[in-house]
Amino acid sequence: MIGMRIASGLLAAGMTATACSPAVDGASATVQAPPAAPTATAASQHPSETLSPVFEQPLPNVKGKTFTSAIVDFPPNARAVAHRHGAAFVYAYVLEGTVRSQLAGEPVRTYHQGQNWVEQPGAHHLLTENTSRTKRAKLLVTFISNTGDKLKIEDPPG
């Protein structure tokens, strides 16, 4: 189970209807040619991200589901290991910086501060990285998951 922490009273919940959609404000994400799939070795050459839960609450009207929000902090040049979020529906909003992201079967997209995307249950997140070598990037990520499930399952080392 995730430790619960309320940080500065921050709680944000937003859902969009389309997967990998740009921010609601009309800004569009940049689509790039897909890179070679990152390997565990390549990811280990970069700093890693940290996921800090901010709020966790069982949904009172949906038995067996939990809402969790977290801040994901990417130091400069950080890259996450390829991963999945199990059966969770995921919404990500860029609070700060620029993040490059790729889901299996989708092109690489670059998201800037104020933009967002969603990941459907079972999505395979192949790439998530901070594009800057000098500035942090931060995401607010919300999960609607099965109560008790892990929020992030990293791919095994290749």
Side-chain angles (χ1 to χ4, degrees):
M1 183 65 74
I2 293 175
M4 183 167 70
R5 190 166 57 124
I6 306 287
S8 304
L10 177 66
L11 170 62
M15 296 295 142
T16 62
T18 58
C20 297
S21 63
V24 176
D25 67 4
S28 61
T30 306
V31 177
Q32 300 173 346
T39 63
T41 305
S44 67
Q45 297 171 355
H46 293 268
S48 185
E49 86 287 6
T50 57
L51 185 143
S52 302
V54 176
F55 181 81
E56 182 178 51
Q57 172 74 45
L59 292 175
N61 59 342
V62 185
K63 186 175 175 77
K65 296 290 184 180
T66 296
F67 172 93
T68 304
S69 77
I71 300 295
V72 181
D73 183 27
F74 288 86
N77 204 36
R79 178 180 292 167
V81 171
H83 61 277
R84 298 174 192 267
H85 298 289
F89 176 82
V90 180
Y91 169 82
Y93 178 86
V94 182
L95 294 169
E96 181 180 326
T98 301
V99 175
R100 187 175 297 124
S101 178
Q102 182 182 23
L103 299 175
E106 299 286 335
V108 174
R109 290 185 168 90
T110 301
Y111 298 93
H112 304 278
Q113 183 176 1
Q115 294 183 309
N116 63 81
W117 72 90
V118 298
E119 297 176 31
Q120 298 300 318
H124 191 195
H125 210 144
L126 301 174
L127 174 70
T128 319
E129 67 182 357
N130 180 352
T131 62
S132 176
R133 294 180 179 265
T134 60
K135 297 179 182 173
R136 303 188 91 70
K138 288 187 181 183
L139 303 174
L140 171 66
V141 181
T142 58
F143 304 86
I144 304 297
S145 62
N146 293 329
T147 301
D149 280 2
K150 286 185 171 184
L151 294 179
K152 182 180 176 192
I153 303 133
E154 292 183 351
D155 287 2

